[in-house]
Amino acid sequence: MWAVTGAQMTASALVSLRNVGKIFPSGLVALADYDLDVRQGEILTLLGPSGCGKSTVLRLISGLSSPTAGSIDWSAPQIKNNIGFVFQDATLLPWASVFNNVFLPLRLSGLSRETASARVDEALAHVGLLDFSRSLPRELSGGMRMRCAIARALVTHPALIMMDEPFAALDEVTRFKLNDDLLTLKRRLSATIVFVTHSVFEAAYLSTRIIVMSRRAGRIIDEIEIDPAIARDDDYRSSKTFAEACRRASHALRVSIEEATR
Amino acid sequence: MWAVTGAQMTASALVSLRNVGKIFPSGLVALADYDLDVRQGEILTLLGPSGCGKSTVLRLISGLSSPTAGSIDWSAPQIKNNIGFVFQDATLLPWASVFNNVFLPLRLSGLSRETASARVDEALAHVGLLDFSRSLPRELSGGMRMRCAIARALVTHPALIMMDEPFAALDEVTRFKLNDDLLTLKRRLSATIVFVTHSVFEAAYLSTRIIVMSRRAGRIIDEIEIDPAIARDDDYRSSKTFAEACRRASHALRVSIEEATR
Amino acid sequence: MSKKRRTIQWRDIGAPFAVFFAALALWEALVRWKNVPPYILPAPSVVFEKLIEDRELLFSSLMVTLGVTFEALVVATICGVALALLIAQSKWLERALLPFAITLQVTPIIAIAPLLLVYMQPGNAVLVCAFLVAFFPILSNTSLGLASVDFGLRDLFDLYHASPWQKLIYLRLPSALPQFLTGLRIGGGLALIGAIVAELAAGASGQGTGLAYRIVEAGFRLDIPRMFAALALISLSGLAIYGALAALSYVLLRGWHESARADQE
Amino acid sequence: MSKKRRTIQWRDIGAPFAVFFAALALWEALVRWKNVPPYILPAPSVVFEKLIEDRELLFSSLMVTLGVTFEALVVATICGVALALLIAQSKWLERALLPFAITLQVTPIIAIAPLLLVYMQPGNAVLVCAFLVAFFPILSNTSLGLASVDFGLRDLFDLYHASPWQKLIYLRLPSALPQFLTGLRIGGGLALIGAIVAELAAGASGQGTGLAYRIVEAGFRLDIPRMFAALALISLSGLAIYGALAALSYVLLRGWHESARADQE
Amino acid sequence: DKIRFATNWRAQAEHGGFYQAVADGVYARYGLDVSILQGGPQLNARLLLAAGRVDFAMGANTIQMFESAQQNVPIVTVASMFQIDPVIFMSHPGVGLDRFEDLPKATAFIASDMRASVWQWLKQAYGFKDQNAKPYNFNSAPFLADKKSIEEGILTSEPYAIEREGGFTPNIFLLSDYGYDSYSTTIETRADTIAKTPDLVQRFVDASIIGWYNYLYGDNAQANAMIKRDNPEMTDGQIAYSIAKMKERGIVDSGDALTDGVGVITDARMKSFFDKMAKAGVVPADLDYKRGYTLRFIGKKVGMELRPK
Ligand SMILES: Nc1ncnc2c1ncn2[C@@H]1O[C@H](COP(=O)(O)OP(=O)(O)OP(=O)(O)O)[C@@H](O)[C@H]1O
Ligand SMILES: Nc1ncnc2c1ncn2[C@@H]1O[C@H](COP(=O)(O)OP(=O)(O)OP(=O)(O)O)[C@@H](O)[C@H]1O
Ligand SMILES: [Mg+2]
Ligand SMILES: [Mg+2]
């Protein structure tokens, strides 16, 4: 039996987007009639051509942007206050050290530097930046800046993690390690993750569900479910399930791009 | 016979870095005793863990940064004035439209808007941004911004192209298309390309030579040559040469990271 | 959507006017209730009457003052930007020239106006006084703007071996625009002040008599309502200048600079 | 490396001084060659002699003026920043309050000082005058700074539901720092001017007599060398204030803001 | 009684009588504790008086009095210490500006208070022109530099500095010699003060008059020391020059003062001056200027015995 299915599973939806439209003031229709459920505990990956509206969906869910049509409903609104977000750009405070950048969310939630410092150091250690905790963002390489942003998003142990191409600027070894770290963390926190990536392999490895979007107003081309029960390890990378998920995602991606350029 | 070799080929060097050192004012040693020849006409890929000094090497070669030790020599200094550079960040003028951003290098070389406009449009068409030529950078998605930067770097038909993870923010289909476009352009211009990527596959597909750097002061771990005569197409992706190059690069990368964390 | 827009526009104009009239009403009430005599604090209604009554005199004075203001602002803008550009060329020039600029800024006009009258024609002396008051904020802010160019963009221009002139036109000036425009807004108000101070110190330029003299004269005559009428004209001019320059800012920065964008979306 | 450093430091200090002394020498030569009488333009040497001769009188006056300057600058900074923060809260507040701030800016102190003396004690009137002159640039620049917060960072703070207070402390104030510091540099010079104008307009605060009065009195007595000596002290104070504030800027912005970094590397 | 008195300029010999009365205790003898608030270029003493910040103020000339009457400001002139307004024009000698008739064609440096008053009359009476008027900010350098200019001044002060620093003796035209018969250095107070405490006003006027006699004819060393303390720039030379000029021209003690005592004001002279000003259009002809002064406290020959025979 394939663990990859196209069927709609009816798990409890954490957030539901219904008929959501987003038209920017420039007149550009980024999303139209967009429907999406983010289910409790899943790892949902958005895949799609550049400019199809993936970042827009993340911003809408997290409330940083409001839809011009439709509704966004939360089944557990308190989770809205416990979101971790890795933006597509690192978005660090240029005047603050790496430590202070990662400390920021904890500081905002009222923790003192002493209480927080162990947690900050732990987060920095995970992304391999412990030696740079006193550096300013300007003194970091592109990948290091992104890792700092990842540490900042995870340091609060959020219930909902949004990640917009977090690992794109990282080498594959570090990327694999962080993928596994992310899975461990998710399990520990029973968090929900909404993930954007351009790597079909990464999507297939991490996700319990992949949604492929089209460049045309974010239309959903395909939805691929991967059994969450399957352990994600090196064996999985060479499994048929993985290969099939990759194949289907790649295909949908190709379709979506051909549709767009037609 | 393997097309992938470790032997040092003695082609004419366009730029030679000898015993180059780079110590930042913060005291960080980014490069020490670094030797590198960029050969005329090659596609040289730098691979290495995040923060190992790849961007620093590119900045040193292009003269945007100067070494604190060693020398950088050009065999054809006029090429120094004909460099295209895709920075790791898109680095667009926030007040200028996409068209004007891509037009900028031509404008700086004295071309009028009328003369340049066909070339700009061509470059924009290649990266799929023709419809957005009047948009401001803020109105673009992350990947679109990066594509705009790519168009800007290539619009001058440079003799030396430096690219710092240019395709990291792009979906795989677009990425493959741009990879092929780049190869075509390179052939047309007989340009030299220095490329930074985190994708081992991309490195193996594009390069005629891959250099894997270590996080320790940029030490070179391995150097992989791939016969430039081999056509880069879908067949190549499934060839043994390709697989072997990927394998060797991955291995070197793993070594470099293990070395660094040890 | 369009309804929301309209509401916002109404509030945009309504709010400041409401506050403004509330302040005037409070003032009027206070004056009437406490029976403050007009030579100490005239009620707004009295000032307004005076404004109507003396309109010809006051408006012709206003024109003289505004003439000097605009000349001073133009000259201050040109000199401030030019000096900022010169200073931005090198640390050496900055260190050599800035002390003179600072000295000019802190030199009290009132004190040196008599000397200026010795060295130059009265018309020029007036302009120099008004100019001195207005130019420093423009210089400082433009300098900050020119120095704040993003390093990535600077690298880009270096890469293409852009000439200093090209860097200026295509990189530094647009980068400096937000700060320059703020300097201009400060300078606009100061040019008005400068025109007034200049008139007191060095005389009105041309044949007419500016508002400064009207104010001082009204003070000597204890005709305080007229003094307030003249002050009201100055305030209105200041608001008009600020408004015009703010609108200019908005047009130039809209779309790309954070300070001129209402919201991200 | 270290040698290069030292060379730069020598030039840093040497150049401005060289230019400065060259300017003085030129002035001296001009005065001697053209035989300009001291009551029209005194030679620097004469001014310097006077400075030494009258040092006690002038320095005690300087202290009075500097006292007012610092008080005014402190008050202007507090009020300018506070108002900028208030204005930054909402467009509504901005539109309601800014007109008042602009009105205050363009109100000519010299002209209304007699009225201020009617409403308040002389000491306060002096402070208000000096304050009015200095506060607007601080307000404007801080406002620009507060409005120029990067949208990405703004989103980040929204995401964590940061309180307005937290946004202020951790985001908006640091973002606004470069512009605020430029405003402060402009305001520093203006506070000095303000102190002088205020003294002329409203009398010295306290018992002492400030430099403004020395200048006017020396002018009245045609003791122009002493007038220039007093002006020289004012210029030096202005330079000192600017230098101190520039050093403060450098310390606060070094490392992260473009304007305070010599080079990318 | 605590009294605050505002002068119209920094402490100088022209205010000597008031300082004298403080210094030698005449005010104290009259039961007054007087503090003198010295004026300055921007201080509007009469506004402070109207606002109740001071109890008495020094008025510069009679035109100001007309204007407060015109504006319905309840300020009343109760005495005039100077019989002659010492306002002058100065010109460079030997450049064709030696006669008063020559002056209207020259550039005139005049302070804004003069421009608001005397100048209006000069325009009408002698044909001075607005376009020649340039501001005088109490610094004579522009006048010295421009030989074809004239400058306003006070008989007792500016000529001294010009003689010393400019190295020549300027032509001096005392405007009172040319028909400008304003009073000067008057004592003004509010109408309600007169109504409520006429006795206080009388005491202040009397003591001030005695102060002036003593200052001119008695030992004025203490008063001068006080002037120099209030105004450290004041020099002995300047004070001596001022006193000499005041005596020479009878600024304080001449005309009506010789018969009725220092401080006197007469209806006849007021009318003569008012008619001139009304004719010049400086003040409206129907102005009830008599509201602005009272003869109630003067002409009592107070202190005349102090004048040396
Ligand atoms: N502020 C804005 N104003 C106008 N248009 C915008 C704005 N932000 C995004 N867009 C447009 O909305 C569309 C979707 O943008 P979005 O950033 O969601 O794409 P994306 O899927 O994240 O792409 P990428 O993979 O390149 O990051 C794009 O066409 C973009 O041009
Ligand atoms: N301006 C700077 N000041 C101090 N240190 C710097 C500066 N720029 C880079 N570095 C340091 O130099 C090292 C190499 O940086 P570089 O940007 O070359 O890395 P990279 O190989 O491009 O990494 P990535 O793949 O993450 O982009 C890093 O450790 C970084 O912290
Ligand atoms: Mg995106
Ligand atoms: Mg890099």
Side-chain angles (χ1 to χ4, degrees), chain D residues 181-223:
Chain D
L181 287 167
T182 300
L184 198 59
R185 283 208 293 277
I186 301 172
L190 286 181
L192 185 58
I193 286 281
I196 290 164
V197 172
E199 190 190 339
L200 287 180
S205 76
Q207 287 312 304
T209 305
L211 279 178
Y213 174 66
R214 296 278 164 241
I215 290 173
V216 171
E217 191 63 38
F220 189 61
R221 304 252 168 266
L222 284 175
D223 191 350

Side-chain angles (χ1 to χ4, degrees), chain C:
Chain C
M1 180 75 197
S2 81
K3 200 178 162 195
K4 199 178 157 200
R5 273 229 162 150
R6 222 171 299 141
T7 320
I8 287 176
Q9 282 180 345
W10 185 87
R11 258 180 34 205
D12 287 1
I13 305 167
F17 274 86
V19 173
F20 186 69
F21 284 112
L24 285 188
L26 191 75
W27 173 359
E28 180 91 33
L30 221 79
V31 167
R32 297 203 171 189
W33 178 54
K34 289 250 184 187
N35 241 321
V36 183
Y39 52 84
I40 291 187
L41 184 67
S45 56
V46 176
V47 174
F48 189 72
E49 269 167 35
K50 202 74 179 183
L51 199 58
I52 302 295
E53 191 185 314
D54 293 346
R55 61 185 174 281
E56 279 180 30
L57 189 72
L58 289 176
F59 276 99
S60 73
S61 294
L62 177 65
M63 286 305 125
V64 173
T65 302
L66 285 184
V68 178
T69 303
F70 284 120
E71 273 182 76
L73 186 58
V74 168
V75 178
T77 305
I78 294 171
C79 294
V81 171
L83 194 57
L85 291 175
L86 206 61
I87 278 179
Q89 293 311 306
S90 77
K91 281 274 158 205
W92 194 96
L93 273 172
E94 176 177 342
R95 293 214 167 81
L97 293 179
L98 206 54
F100 291 96
I102 297 166
T103 302
L104 284 181
Q105 190 212 7
V106 299
T107 302
I109 309 298
I110 281 286
I112 61 153
L115 292 176
L116 287 180
L117 281 174
V118 171
Y119 309 136
M120 52 186 90
Q121 292 300 315
N124 293 340
V126 169
L127 207 58
V128 167
C129 285
F131 155 78
L132 280 181
V133 175
F135 103 111
F136 196 77
I138 298 179
L139 166 68
S140 289
N141 268 2
T142 311
S143 279
L144 172 69
L146 291 175
S148 303
V149 173
D150 181 85
F151 274 117
L153 294 175
R154 209 180 282 185
D155 282 346
L156 181 72
F157 277 71
D158 282 343
L159 187 80
Y160 290 114
H161 299 91
S163 68
W165 181 246
Q166 288 175 325
K167 274 188 200 165
L168 188 65
I169 299 289
Y170 299 120
L171 177 61
R172 313 187 76 173
L173 286 185
S175 290
L177 207 55
Q179 280 96 335
F180 161 72
L181 288 167
T182 300
L184 198 60
R185 283 208 293 276
I186 301 172
L190 285 181
L192 185 58
I193 287 281
I196 289 163
V197 172
E199 189 190 341
L200 289 180
S205 77
Q207 291 309 307
T209 304
L211 280 178
Y213 174 66
R214 293 283 164 237
I215 291 174
V216 171
E217 182 195 29
F220 282 122
R221 297 218 157 140
L222 294 182
D223 191 350
I224 309 298
R226 184 193 278 185
M227 184 166 159
F228 270 87
L231 285 172
L233 281 184
I234 290 176
S235 296
L236 290 178
S237 311
L239 290 172
I241 292 171
Y242 188 94
L245 293 175
L248 179 71
S249 271
Y250 180 76
V251 169
L252 290 177
L253 302 183
R254 182 185 42 186
W256 69 272
H257 194 260
E258 279 87 351
S259 65
R261 290 162 53 94
D263 202 353
Q264 168 92 40
E265 302 160 75

Side-chain angles (χ1 to χ4, degrees), chain D residues 9-246:
Chain D
Q9 281 180 345
W10 186 88
R11 259 182 33 207
D12 286 1
I13 305 168
F17 274 87
V19 174
F20 185 69
F21 283 113
L24 285 188
L26 190 76
W27 172 0
E28 180 90 33
L30 220 80
V31 168
R32 297 202 172 191
W33 178 52
K34 289 250 185 184
N35 240 321
V36 183
Y39 59 81
I40 288 189
L41 185 68
S45 56
V46 177
V47 174
F48 189 71
E49 269 167 36
K50 203 74 181 180
L51 199 58
I52 303 294
E53 193 185 314
D54 293 347
R55 60 186 175 281
E56 279 180 30
L57 191 71
L58 290 175
F59 275 99
S60 72
S61 295
L62 178 65
M63 286 306 125
V64 174
T65 302
L66 286 184
V68 177
T69 304
F70 285 119
E71 272 182 77
L73 186 58
V74 169
V75 179
T77 306
I78 294 172
C79 295
V81 172
L83 194 56
L85 291 175
L86 206 61
I87 280 178
Q89 293 312 305
S90 77
K91 281 272 159 210
W92 194 95
L93 272 172
E94 175 177 343
R95 293 214 169 82
L97 292 179
L98 207 54
F100 292 96
I102 298 166
T103 301
L104 285 181
Q105 189 211 7
V106 299
T107 301
I109 309 296
I110 279 286
I112 62 148
L115 278 180
L116 283 182
L117 283 173
V118 168
Y119 307 137
M120 50 188 92
Q121 293 300 319
N124 293 340
V126 169
L127 206 58
V128 166
C129 286
F131 156 77
L132 281 180
V133 174
F135 103 111
F136 195 77
I138 298 178
L139 166 67
S140 290
N141 268 2
T142 311
S143 278
L144 172 68
L146 291 175
S148 304
V149 173
D150 182 86
F151 274 116
L153 293 175
R154 209 180 281 185
D155 282 348
L156 181 71
F157 277 71
D158 282 344
L159 187 78
Y160 290 114
H161 299 89
S163 68
W165 181 247
Q166 289 176 326
K167 275 189 199 164
L168 187 65
I169 298 288
Y170 298 121
L171 177 61
R172 311 186 77 173
L173 286 184
S175 290
L177 207 54
Q179 279 97 335
F180 162 71
L181 287 167
T182 300
L184 198 59
R185 283 208 293 277
I186 301 172
L190 286 181
L192 185 58
I193 286 281
I196 290 164
V197 172
E199 190 190 339
L200 287 180
S205 76
Q207 287 312 304
T209 305
L211 279 178
Y213 174 66
R214 296 278 164 241
I215 290 173
V216 171
E217 191 63 38
F220 189 61
R221 304 252 168 266
L222 284 175
D223 191 350
I224 309 295
R226 182 192 278 185
M227 179 169 151
F228 270 85
L231 286 173
L233 280 185
I234 291 176
S235 296
L236 290 178
S237 311
L239 290 172
I241 292 171
Y242 188 94
L245 294 175

Side-chain angles (χ1 to χ4, degrees), chain A residues 20-33:
Chain A
V20 162
K22 177 74 193 178
I23 303 175
F24 284 101
S26 63
L28 187 128
V29 182
L31 297 175
D33 257 333

Side-chain angles (χ1 to χ4, degrees), chain B residues 22 25 65-66, chain D residues 150-151 264-265:
Chain B
K22 177 75 193 177
S65 172
S66 36
Chain D
D150 182 86
F151 274 116
Q264 168 91 42
E265 304 161 73

Side-chain angles (χ1 to χ4, degrees), chain B residues 67-87:
Chain B
T68 47
S71 63
I72 300 175
D73 299 310
W74 288 75
S75 67
Q78 76 282 2
I79 288 186
K80 254 172 137 170
N81 300 329
N82 194 10
I83 300 180
F85 201 137
V86 180
F87 298 101

